[in-house]
């Protein structure tokens, strides 16, 4: 099966700093890859390269076989993105924000369908018609999750997506990821949360100073072993 | 197109939610309406004055007829009788007052030397003159760019600073598409406001609906487009909102205030023009000197210009009117080269200002609006030329009475020449201004789009 997400010798340098050192990675449909690493390790840089927000210094990123740098708009039809801190238009309601994001993605949903997506993401029904300016960080995060689900993307790029979610919501999100994965969606998730990575990931990668230093199938490790492995690489 | 409509609609929602922008737009609408009121009220006031002048003239004639119950010496009548040269405003003048508030819109002319009367004007309140006109053209040229700046200074930076941009750009939409839709909505707001105010102004001023209406709208629209181009250019720089606001206000200050002021200084230095006061002084010197000149010499010089009166009797009296008017005429003649230099200098200054106006689209737009309204400097100079011809006609009327010693009866008052002048719209100057605006606008958009495409949009 051809990879849905791929990095070939993907490299990013800034003046005086190597942000990503020749990353080679392939994700198959339905795979959940969790990338662990400290702040500044290069996790967000990798996601930004897959999103086309920054240009690689060398190598290439591919989504569904399309090179990101050459097809910056086409690849976005195939992926959804949830940042660490989902920020939305504060003067619009959750429904209006979701309608905007899904319409930009090319989907025209009825209000009921949008409400269903928001409910699926865990947003209380009465909050959907409230202005986002009154939302907590966790509620905004749920609108972001709803937008990703509503986009029916083949690839999910997640940058600390459970940041700000309470344990119950985080657990619901994990279930949602597993459900999407079961439907064939590939997930690339940057996270600090080792236990969440073990719980939802099919593979886990450890990144250090811009280099992917280790990749393991999560089935081969328990949570403690994974934590030990991570700490070993961080020393 | 679907994407554009969607983004446009959401821009409407953002605009509707922004109380500050709604308030500012409302204020500008109010300022525009006040500008229309101010301009049309000023023109109505001038029209009222102009309409009253013939009555005033008739009243003066009645006074002269009472003073001279029988046939009078034409010299005495010519000395006291004030004739009015009238500069009527076009219907457009209320929308762009131009120089109609600083230059006289009527002249009181007597049979005396012309040059001393041509530059005389009523006293004006200097404080009011300092504040200038608040007409619709002022609102369009000076205040509309401020609304455009307020609408556009955070065109993309606001999304970046609020952190919304990464989520937006993760959708299949480019930054250029976002910027274009945002610009288009703001352009629709500004152009809508401009068209609304123009429609109200045109109706209020009862402007005839002809091709000039299209030219006015094209000038206003293109000028607004230029400023949106400046917004695009600054947005493409991809700096924060504070930087954008300062850069755009700096551009406004430079293009609307600084460059026109510097151009004014440069034009004045490059095309020196004798002052109207110098003309008056020259003429007065010549006239006052005329009292001391030998009468025969004065008349010889006068007859050289008017040989048809050469056979009049030699002047032996201490004072006769025909001699008095002869040296008044010669006073004008002595000031004629200076007067020509003054008129030519003014015309050259205006031509140079028009040529250099591409450096400031605000100046270009203002000059074009004034030209369209017939309220610019050339319009005033055309009025002065018309007043000069009228004064010539008055001389031609009075001279036979003076030199042929024909008594001036009451019936002659009705035969006195009258004057009326309405300066036409200078559409060719307005078209030239439109061309300048078109070039400036094209240049700023080309630069802005090149910059936007040449630099990857920073989502954070």
């Amino acid at each position: 099966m051809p990879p849905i997400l791929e990095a070939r010798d993907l490299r990013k340098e800034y003046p005086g700093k190597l942000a990503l050192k020749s990353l080679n990675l392939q994700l198959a449909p339905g795979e959940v890859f969790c990338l662990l690493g400290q702040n500044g390790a290069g996790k967000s840089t990798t996601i930004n390269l897959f999103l086309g927000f920054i240009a690689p210094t060398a190598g290439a990123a591919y989504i569904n076989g399309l090179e990101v740098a050459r097809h910056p708009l086409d690849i976005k039809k195939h992926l959804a993105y949830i940042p660490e801190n989902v920020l939305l238009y504060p003067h619009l309601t959750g429904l209006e924000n979701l309608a905007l994001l899904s319409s930009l993605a090319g989907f025209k949903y009825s209000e009921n369908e949008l409400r269903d997506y928001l409910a699926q993401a865990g947003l209380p029904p009465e909050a959907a018609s409230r202005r986002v300016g009154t939302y907590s960080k966790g509620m905004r995060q749920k609108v972001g999750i709803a937008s990703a689900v509503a986009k029916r993307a083949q690839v999910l790029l997640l940058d600390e997506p459970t940041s700000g979610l309470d344990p119950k919501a985080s657990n619901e999100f994990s279930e949602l990821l597993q459900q999407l994965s079961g439907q064939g969606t590939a997930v690339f998730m940057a996270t600090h949360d080792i236990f969440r990575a073990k719980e939802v990931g099919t593979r886990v990668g450890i990144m250090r100073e811009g280099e992917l230093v280790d990749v393991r199938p999560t089935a081969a490790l328990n949570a403690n072993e994974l934590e030990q492995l991570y700490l070993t690489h961080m020393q | 197109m679907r994407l554009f409509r969607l983004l446009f609609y959401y821009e409407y929602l953002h605009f509707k939610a922004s109380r500050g922008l709604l308030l500012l737009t409302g204020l500008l609408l109010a300022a525009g309406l006040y500008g229309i009121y101010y301009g049309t009220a000023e023109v109505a006031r001038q029209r009222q004055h102009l309409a009253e002048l013939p009555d005033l003239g008739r009243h003066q004639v009645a006074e002269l007829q009472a003073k001279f119950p029988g046939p009078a010496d034409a010299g005495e009548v010519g000395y006291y009788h004030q004739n009015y040269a009238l500069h009527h405003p076009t219907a457009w003048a209320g929308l762009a007052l131009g120089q109609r508030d600083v230059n006289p819109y009527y002249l009181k002319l007597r049979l005396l030397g012309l040059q001393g009367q041509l530059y005389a004007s009523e006293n004006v309140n200097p404080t009011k003159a300092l504040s200038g006109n608040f007409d619709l053209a002022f609102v369009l040229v000076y205040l509309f760019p401020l609304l455009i700046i307020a609408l556009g200074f955070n065109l993309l930076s606001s999304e970046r600073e609020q952190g919304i941009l990464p989520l937006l750009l993760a959708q299949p939409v480019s930054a250029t598409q976002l910027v274009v839709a945002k610009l288009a909505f703001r352009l629709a707001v500004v152009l809508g406001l401009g068209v609304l105010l123009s429609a109200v102004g045109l109706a209020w001023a009862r402007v005839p609906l002809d091709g000039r209406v299209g030219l006015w709208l094209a000038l206003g629209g293109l000028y607004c487009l230029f400023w949106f181009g400046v917004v695009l250019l600054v947005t493409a720089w991809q700096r924060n909102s504070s930087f954008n606001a300062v850069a755009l206000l700096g551009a406004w200050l430079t293009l609307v205030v600084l460059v026109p002021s510097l151009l004014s200084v440069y034009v004045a230095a490059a095309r020196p023009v004798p002052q109207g006061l110098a003309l008056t002084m020259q003429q007065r010197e010549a006239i006052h000197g005329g009292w001391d000149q030998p009468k025969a010499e004065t008349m010889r010089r006068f007859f050289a210009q008017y040989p048809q009166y050469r056979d009049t009797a030699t002047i032996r009296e201490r004072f006769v009117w025909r001699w008095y008017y002869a040296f008044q005429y010669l006073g004008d003649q002595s000031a004629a080269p200076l007067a020509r230099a003054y008129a030519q200098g003014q015309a050259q200054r205006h031509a140079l200002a028009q040529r250099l106006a591409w450096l400031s689209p605000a100046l270009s737009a203002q000059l074009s609006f004034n030209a369209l309204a017939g309220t610019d400097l050339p319009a005033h100079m055309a009025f002065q030329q018309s007043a000069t011809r009228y004064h010539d006609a008055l001389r031609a009327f009075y001279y036979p009475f003076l030199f042929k010693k024909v008594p001036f009866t009451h019936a002659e008052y009705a035969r006195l020449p009258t004057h009326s002048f309405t300066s036409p719209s200078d559409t060719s100057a307005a078209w030239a201004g439109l061309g300048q605006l078109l070039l400036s606008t094209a240049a700023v958009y080309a630069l802005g789009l090149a910059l936007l495409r040449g630099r990857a949009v920073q989502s954070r």
Side-chain angles (χ1 to χ4, degrees):
Chain A
M1 189 178 289
I4 190 81
L5 177 147
E6 186 179 8
R8 287 186 207 157
D9 296 322
L10 190 60
R11 185 181 176 88
K12 182 63 186 176
E13 284 174 43
Y14 293 106
K17 190 189 175 212
L18 177 62
L20 187 65
K21 185 182 174 186
S22 294
L23 175 69
N24 283 289
L25 183 70
Q26 292 188 341
L27 257 72
E31 195 173 358
V32 179
F33 186 91
C34 295
L35 188 62
L36 295 167
Q38 289 178 316
N39 288 336
K43 304 189 298 293
S44 294
T45 300
T46 308
I47 287 180
N48 283 338
L49 284 163
F50 279 117
L51 281 165
F53 287 173
I54 51 176
T57 309
Y62 297 86
I63 300 286
N64 204 16
L66 294 170
E67 189 181 340
V68 172
R70 289 179 186 225
H71 305 278
L73 291 186
D74 289 337
I75 58 111
K76 287 172 189 168
K77 292 174 187 163
H78 305 293
L79 63 80
Y81 168 60
I82 304 175
E84 180 181 0
N85 187 8
V86 172
L87 291 163
L88 302 157
Y89 286 112
H91 52 274
L92 300 181
T93 65
L95 267 176
E96 286 170 333
N97 271 290
L98 180 58
L100 169 65
L101 293 171
S102 54
S103 299
L104 286 176
F107 295 93
K108 190 166 175 61
Y109 293 117
S110 68
E111 186 180 324
N112 284 340
E113 287 171 319
L114 292 170
R115 284 185 187 278
D116 285 346
Y117 279 117
L118 288 171
Q120 196 183 343
L123 191 76
E126 69 277 6
S129 301
R130 271 198 354 239
R131 288 171 66 244
V132 163
T134 64
Y135 281 17
S136 65
K137 186 185 175 192
M139 290 166 86
R140 291 199 310 270
Q141 213 67 13
K142 286 169 184 173
V143 177
I145 293 167
S147 78
V149 176
K151 197 172 176 181
R152 298 176 194 164
Q154 293 166 282
V155 177
L156 276 184
L157 294 173
L158 311 174
D159 194 353
E160 303 285 353
T162 53
S163 166
L165 293 184
D166 57 48
K168 181 172 174 286
S170 293
N171 197 51
E172 285 169 358
F173 180 64
S174 296
E175 285 175 12
L176 185 64
L177 280 189
Q178 283 165 341
Q179 186 189 331
L180 292 170
S181 164
Q183 292 166 4
T185 305
V187 178
F188 183 92
M189 179 165 73
T191 183
H192 290 293
D193 189 340
I194 292 170
F195 295 97
R196 188 76 51 205
K198 163 64 188 156
E199 186 184 28
V200 299
T202 51
R203 271 195 300 165
V204 63
I206 298 172
M207 186 166 264
R208 182 182 171 184
E209 293 175 357
E211 187 176 7
L212 188 62
V213 291
D214 205 341
V215 176
R216 303 279 178 99
T218 48
L221 299 162
N222 63 34
N224 288 337
E225 287 167 340
L226 178 57
E227 185 178 26
Q228 201 53 50
L229 181 72
Y230 177 73
L231 290 173
T232 306
H233 280 296
M234 291 305 115
Q235 281 170 358
Chain B
M1 200 59 200
R2 183 198 65 82
L3 191 65
F4 177 81
R5 279 205 306 273
L6 176 76
L7 292 168
F8 195 89
Y9 170 69
Y10 272 86
E11 282 308 308
Y12 160 70
L13 292 183
H14 303 329
F15 178 72
K16 205 174 68 167
S18 171
R19 285 186 190 164
L21 285 181
L22 284 175
L23 183 68
L24 189 66
T25 309
L27 277 176
L28 199 65
L29 177 65
L33 291 173
Y34 175 72
I36 293 167
Y37 163 75
Y38 178 94
T40 50
E42 172 63 20
V43 166
R45 190 184 66 81
Q46 292 187 4
R47 282 207 178 99
Q48 176 73 21
H49 281 184
L50 291 170
E52 287 167 358
L53 289 175
D55 282 344
L56 191 60
R58 281 189 285 278
H59 182 70
Q60 286 173 346
V61 165
E63 284 182 340
L64 284 172
Q65 286 172 335
K67 185 180 171 84
F68 306 110
D73 189 324
E76 278 198 279
V77 176
Y79 185 82
Y80 290 111
H81 187 212
Q82 287 185 343
N83 306 273
Y84 294 101
L86 311 178
H87 186 184
H88 293 285
T90 62
W92 285 90
L95 305 184
L97 287 167
Q99 300 202 359
R100 277 196 76 88
D101 63 330
V102 288
N103 290 321
Y105 51 91
Y106 68 91
L107 292 171
K108 288 184 273 194
L109 297 178
R110 295 192 289 160
L111 197 54
L112 310 178
L114 171 69
Q115 293 301 331
Q117 305 179 77
L118 206 51
Y119 307 99
S121 60
E122 302 288 353
N123 286 338
V124 292
N125 182 342
T127 316
K128 196 162 173 283
L130 188 69
S131 62
N133 292 322
F134 198 97
D135 52 19
L136 183 57
F138 171 82
V139 174
L140 288 173
V141 172
Y142 293 88
L143 302 188
F144 260 57
L146 292 176
L147 175 66
I148 293 169
I149 288 169
L151 283 168
F153 79 97
N154 58 358
L155 197 65
L156 207 52
S157 55
S158 111
E159 268 83 1
R160 188 182 297 121
E161 285 154 19
Q162 290 178 36
I164 305 165
L165 198 56
L167 215 51
L168 289 178
L169 292 180
Q171 314 306 327
V173 56
S174 70
T176 306
Q177 285 170 316
L178 275 178
V179 169
V180 167
K182 282 168 170 292
L183 270 179
F185 176 78
R186 285 154 175 77
L187 188 65
V189 169
V190 171
L191 288 186
L193 191 62
V195 168
L196 175 69
L197 285 173
S198 295
V200 171
L202 293 169
W204 202 331
R206 294 181 184 171
V207 168
L209 296 178
D210 54 31
R212 287 173 296 177
V213 173
L215 194 50
W216 171 279
L217 292 175
L219 281 166
L222 204 54
Y223 181 65
C224 290
L225 266 176
F226 167 81
W227 278 103
F228 275 108
V230 176
V231 167
L232 177 70
L233 188 59
V234 172
T235 299
W237 221 304
Q238 297 193 46
R239 305 293 290 268
N240 60 40
S241 299
S242 309
F243 175 89
N244 291 354
V246 171
L248 286 167
L249 286 173
W252 181 86
L253 198 66
T254 304
L255 295 176
V256 175
V257 180
L258 203 60
V259 172
S261 303
L262 290 175
L263 280 181
S264 174
V265 171
Y266 169 73
V267 166
R271 298 285 184 275
V273 169
Q275 294 294 310
L277 181 64
L279 270 171
T280 307
M281 294 299 290
Q282 169 86 12
Q283 184 226 32
R284 280 194 180 174
E285 290 291 321
I287 288 172
H288 291 316
W291 290 97
D292 303 324
Q293 292 288 319
K295 293 186 178 64
E297 171 61 14
T298 298
M299 297 315 291
R300 186 191 62 73
R301 287 170 55 208
F302 178 79
F303 292 145
Q305 300 295 319
Y306 285 94
Q308 65 269 41
Y309 301 124
R310 195 184 291 275
D311 57 352
T312 52
T314 305
I315 296 170
R316 303 194 190 283
E317 302 88 337
R318 193 158 178 273
F319 177 87
V320 286
W321 283 109
R322 63 179 189 277
W323 163 69
Y324 177 78
Y325 288 115
F327 72 70
Q328 292 284 331
Y329 170 81
L330 292 174
D332 277 344
Q333 289 299 297
S334 78
L338 209 54
R340 273 196 297 278
Y342 178 73
Q344 281 171 3
Q346 292 281 29
Q348 285 170 352
R349 272 187 181 181
H350 186 75
L352 183 60
Q354 274 187 319
R355 277 204 304 280
L356 295 176
W358 64 270
L359 291 167
S360 163
L363 182 63
S364 193
Q366 182 72 68
L367 288 174
S368 300
F369 282 137
N370 291 351
L372 198 61
T375 56
D376 56 359
L377 181 67
H380 177 67
M381 290 171 62
F383 166 62
Q384 284 187 319
Q385 286 166 4
S386 172
T388 302
R389 289 192 294 274
Y390 176 51
H391 193 262
D392 289 343
L394 286 173
R395 278 179 166 145
F397 178 82
Y398 274 104
Y399 281 178
F401 291 97
L402 290 167
F403 290 93
K404 303 291 185 189
K405 294 185 178 174
V406 179
F408 196 95
T409 66
H410 285 193
E412 308 304 342
Y413 290 106
R415 285 197 281 273
L416 272 163
T418 56
H419 177 269
S420 180
F421 176 79
T422 305
S423 51
S425 296
D426 185 354
T427 48
S428 59
W431 275 109
L434 193 71
Q436 284 179 335
L437 280 176
L438 196 60
L439 286 176
S440 307
T441 306
V444 82
Y445 274 90
L447 207 57
L449 285 173
L451 203 59
L452 195 64
R453 285 183 178 154
R455 303 178 68 170
V457 170
Q458 300 154 16
S459 59
R460 292 185 173 88

